Amino acid sequence: MLGYIKRQADAHELAAIKPAPAGENRMEALVAAMPGGETVCACNQVSKSAIMKVMEKDGLTTADEVKQKTKASGSCGGCRPMLEALVKVTLSGASAPTSGMELESATDHSICPCMTTGHEELIQLISTTGTESSEEVRELLDLTTDTDGCRTCEETIAYYIQRNRSQGTEHPSLPIDTFDEFISWCAEQPVPSTIYAAASEEAESVFGILLHDIAVQSCPAGYEIYVGGHARHPVTEGQLLCITDTREEAIRAAQFTVELYSTEGWFNEKTWEWVERAGIGSIRERVMGLEHRLLEFA
């Protein structure tokens, strides 16, 4: 149901879901009919297709094994009945196999002509299986081409494999004291797409500063952080993310925003596209949460 809401499905699509025949388990009938891209575990963002693929790859046969491998039902536990039903129908073969032909959502479009898989499904697959081989990913996805793949899908798969590998290691940001150091730091980050940063101590609006991916500008109340600006047509100014009291707080908040983009953005997704997809409110809430945590340890 969450997947239908996220993509704003038409009411007719919901009405088309057939009730379970007499004597058949309703939950099992529901998960058997679910598209592969639908979310089973909302807490940990695990889809039906990701669970089915890891079950097939690792020979999993119980909900507990799937939980240990994918974290599905590992937080609030509310999806446990659905997970158990999915495990059962997958083992019985009652659910149609997912091969990447189904999209994760209406907005998670296919990455390239070689695959119809969306970014989120690919990220989940790599995360849940822990694979570090592009060839293995292509095999798990049953890609719709007999070739070795195009440059786009190869670069995308390689990027997500590297990102998944690095997420298991802590990379604390070095303390940065000046705006010049911050701009240099931004240029060195492994982000989905090249970012352009700007910063100014001028309280007056500096021409063009808001047309950058991430920008920090002095203001009467302290420092303003903007994200998602660009000079492409149509030109768009960055959205105000937050205001901090000091330059050090502003730099750290801007760093954290870039780190969020680095871990959540899709390959080749611009910052303004990421902001539009993730929502400025969600990003702001997490950045402000970081500020409160820093204050607690100050």
Side-chain angles (χ1 to χ4, degrees), residues 245-290:
D245 294 329
T246 68
R247 181 180 59 194
E248 291 73 21
E249 291 173 348
I251 291 175
R252 185 65 193 102
Q255 277 187 284
F256 184 64
T257 304
V258 172
E259 290 167 352
L260 278 179
Y261 170 57
S262 178
T263 57
E264 295 182 358
W266 295 342
F267 183 62
N268 278 340
E269 182 178 43
K270 310 301 183 185
T271 55
W272 66 268
E273 294 173 320
W274 168 65
V275 171
E276 183 177 281
R277 178 172 61 85
I280 188 66
S282 172
I283 299 171
R284 180 183 295 121
E285 182 178 354
R286 285 176 287 171
V287 171
M288 296 306 292
L290 168 74

Side-chain angles (χ1 to χ4, degrees), residues 248-249 252-253 287-298:
E248 291 73 21
E249 291 173 348
R252 185 65 193 102
V287 171
M288 296 306 292
L290 168 74
E291 183 178 346
H292 289 310
R293 290 197 298 274
L294 291 177
L295 288 174
E296 289 176 359
F297 291 98

Side-chain angles (χ1 to χ4, degrees), residues 163-180:
R163 187 166 80 176
N164 185 64
R165 185 186 300 128
S166 64
Q167 284 179 347
T169 307
E170 297 227 356
H171 301 286
S173 299
L174 296 175
I176 293 177
D177 298 321
T178 70
F179 284 154
D180 287 341

Side-chain angles (χ1 to χ4, degrees), residues 70-240:
T70 68
K71 298 182 181 178
S73 79
S75 294
C76 74
C79 65
R80 179 72 182 203
M82 180 175 289
L83 175 61
E84 292 177 344
L86 178 56
V87 169
K88 185 174 181 179
V89 298
T90 300
L91 293 174
S92 69
S95 184
T98 57
S99 61
M101 294 298 292
E102 298 164 320
L103 299 180
E104 183 70 18
S105 71
T107 57
D108 187 11
H109 50 76
S110 60
I111 294 169
C112 70
C114 299
M115 64 170 78
T116 53
T117 304
H119 290 271
E120 288 299 332
E121 185 176 357
L122 178 58
I123 292 169
Q124 288 180 10
L125 175 66
I126 293 173
S127 175
T128 55
T129 61
T131 180
E132 296 193 357
S133 163
S134 176
E135 292 74 17
E136 186 175 357
V137 172
R138 292 176 58 79
E139 181 180 345
L140 289 170
L141 290 174
D142 291 335
L143 295 185
T144 59
T145 177
D146 294 328
T147 67
D148 292 332
C150 70
R151 180 177 177 180
T152 299
C153 70
E154 287 302 310
E155 289 181 347
T156 304
I157 292 173
Y159 174 80
Y160 288 136
I161 288 176
Q162 177 58 38
R163 187 166 80 176
N164 185 64
R165 185 186 300 128
S166 64
Q167 284 179 347
T169 307
E170 297 227 356
H171 301 286
S173 299
L174 296 175
I176 293 177
D177 298 321
T178 70
F179 284 154
D180 287 341
E181 290 176 337
F182 167 67
I183 293 173
S184 297
W185 176 86
C186 287
E188 298 171 354
Q189 299 313 297
V191 290
S193 182
T194 303
I195 61 173
Y196 298 94
S200 174
E201 289 283 4
E202 297 287 338
E204 298 287 336
S205 179
V206 177
F207 177 76
I209 193 171
L210 301 188
L211 303 184
H212 289 73
D213 297 281
I214 186 78
V216 181
Q217 180 172 305
S218 176
C219 69
Y223 290 85
E224 297 172 334
I225 296 92
Y226 293 85
V227 62
H230 64 86
R232 305 171 188 85
H233 180 74
V235 174
T236 302
E237 290 189 344
Q239 298 187 53
L240 178 62

